[in-house]
Amino acid sequence: MDELDIYVNLQPLDKPSGYPGGRRSTVKCRETFHTLEPNTAGPARSGARDGKKSSYRVAAVCLGLLCLLLLAGLITVVFQYTQGNSEWKMDMALLQTSYNNLTEERDQLQTSYNNLARERDQLQSSYGMLTKELDHVKNRWVRFSRSLYYISSVEKSWQESRDDCRNRGADLVIINSKEEQEFTRGLKKRLWIGLTDRETEGTWRWVDGTPLTKSYWASLEPNGASSDEDCAEIKMYNEETSWNDAPCDDRSFWICEK
Ligand code: 2F8
Ligand code: CA
């Protein structure tokens, strides 16, 4: 901390200086400076102070420019962030729209698929009914007593023949009356019938599980002549007793009943 002593001559204003009757007083003023030194060295010292001041000004201007630069950078960053943010929002909105459209399309496809599946089932059912009707139209089904009979036009094993009958809503024929026996042998064809002892050798049962009570075996049948003969057929149709047991894998025509 520096001190500067200033001495001031005080005189009354209405009397000229040096007036003999006047009283000369001297007041000592003391002033305290914290940063600036008193100009005690004349013009040289004042020039140095001016140089310092201009340095401060330059520094202040630089500082101001730096602040402006920082502000501009900050504004740019904020602008870019805002811009990027809005682009991201637009992308999200587009994605959401695409997702919604795809969901809608998927639902429409699902509906179409369900409708097509329903139509396919209806067509399948119609096809089955038409096939049955065609069979009747072609006289493939013959009515006798209270049943309908289907005589195959191709040959298959006993099991395949039975499967075909079941696919037609029927089964291999069960012969349980003299009239039915006469009707079937009257077809004059070698045919698989719905009788087998595959479950228990020697115990013949009809395809509905009922045991054989009245039989029409040909003479010396069933004999299991060739290896395993577990399925029954109409063979000697010219005889009243016309049945024979034969290997189930042999291929033959068959007769269904429903
Ligand atoms: O003579 C009856 C006898 O005839 C054939 O065997 C030689 C039959 N075999 C086949 O149909 C495969 C037997 O079942 C039948 O008993
Ligand atoms: Ca036999």
Side-chain angles (χ1 to χ4, degrees):
M1 188 183 297
D2 298 314
E3 289 181 348
L4 177 65
D5 292 340
I6 301 171
Y7 295 91
V8 179
N9 289 329
L10 296 176
Q11 308 176 30
L13 287 173
D14 52 345
K15 299 231 170 79
S17 155
Y19 177 68
R23 191 171 55 94
R24 176 174 289 181
S25 351
T26 303
V27 176
K28 183 183 180 185
C29 299
R30 178 165 289 174
E31 193 65 49
T32 303
F33 296 88
H34 292 270
T35 51
L36 297 176
E37 288 182 357
N39 184 11
T40 51
R45 186 126 184 211
S46 168
R49 207 167 44 205
D50 288 348
K52 261 188 179 178
K53 272 184 185 173
S54 75
S55 298
Y56 289 146
R57 271 197 212 99
V58 169
V61 168
C62 287
L63 202 62
L65 284 174
L66 197 63
C67 286
L68 280 175
L69 211 61
L70 278 174
L71 192 64
L74 189 65
I75 287 168
T76 309
V77 167
V78 168
F79 177 75
Q80 280 179 350
Y81 172 78
T82 315
Q83 193 86 345
N85 205 26
S86 74
E87 275 174 18
W88 181 80
K89 276 181 183 167
M90 273 170 63
D91 285 350
M92 279 301 288
L94 282 174
L95 277 175
Q96 184 68 46
T97 309
S98 300
Y99 174 79
N100 292 344
N101 290 343
L102 284 172
T103 306
E104 208 173 302
E105 272 181 44
R106 185 206 58 197
D107 292 346
Q108 282 171 357
L109 282 172
Q110 183 70 50
T111 309
S112 301
Y113 172 81
N114 292 343
N115 291 340
L116 283 172
R118 205 175 306 124
E119 275 180 39
R120 181 206 56 202
D121 292 346
Q122 283 170 355
L123 283 171
Q124 216 147 31
S125 150
S126 302
Y127 174 77
M129 286 195 300
L130 283 171
T131 307
K132 274 181 199 167
E133 276 181 35
L134 196 64
D135 280 346
H136 289 285
V137 169
K138 282 183 172 175
N139 288 327
R140 301 300 295 275
W141 287 91
V142 181
R143 183 170 291 282
F144 175 77
S145 190
R146 283 181 295 174
S147 292
L148 283 168
Y149 298 87
Y150 174 90
I151 297 98
S152 79
S153 56
V154 293
E155 293 177 302
K156 287 186 177 183
S157 70
W158 185 89
Q159 186 58 52
E160 286 170 345
S161 301
R162 189 177 181 205
D163 291 344
D164 179 85
C165 289
R166 287 159 80 108
N167 286 338
R168 295 170 192 277
D171 210 333
L172 285 170
V173 68
I174 294 171
I175 300 169
N176 43 20
S177 72
K178 177 103 172 62
E179 292 73 29
E180 202 170 17
Q181 165 61 11
E182 289 305 303
F183 164 73
T184 50
R185 82 182 178 95
L187 296 168
K188 304 273 183 209
K189 215 169 176 178
R190 194 169 169 174
L191 300 166
W192 285 126
I193 61 173
L195 187 63
T196 179
D197 73 339
R198 284 193 308 183
E199 291 293 313
T200 311
E201 181 62 34
T203 303
W204 290 88
R205 284 187 183 278
W206 293 105
V207 284
D208 67 353
T210 54
L212 178 63
T213 47
K214 174 68 181 152
S215 65
Y216 298 93
W217 292 115
S219 170
L220 303 176
E221 303 296 344
N223 59 358
S226 46
S227 61
D228 217 9
E229 297 190 327
D230 290 342
C231 293
E233 61 171 349
I234 296 168
K235 185 180 179 187
M236 283 69 86
Y237 40 77
N238 287 325
E239 308 291 327
E240 197 179 321
T241 50
S242 57
W243 300 352
N244 173 47
D245 61 336
C248 298
D249 289 336
D250 279 9
R251 301 182 78 77
S252 178
F253 297 104
W254 67 92
I255 178 170
C256 308
E257 179 186 8
K258 68 176 177 182

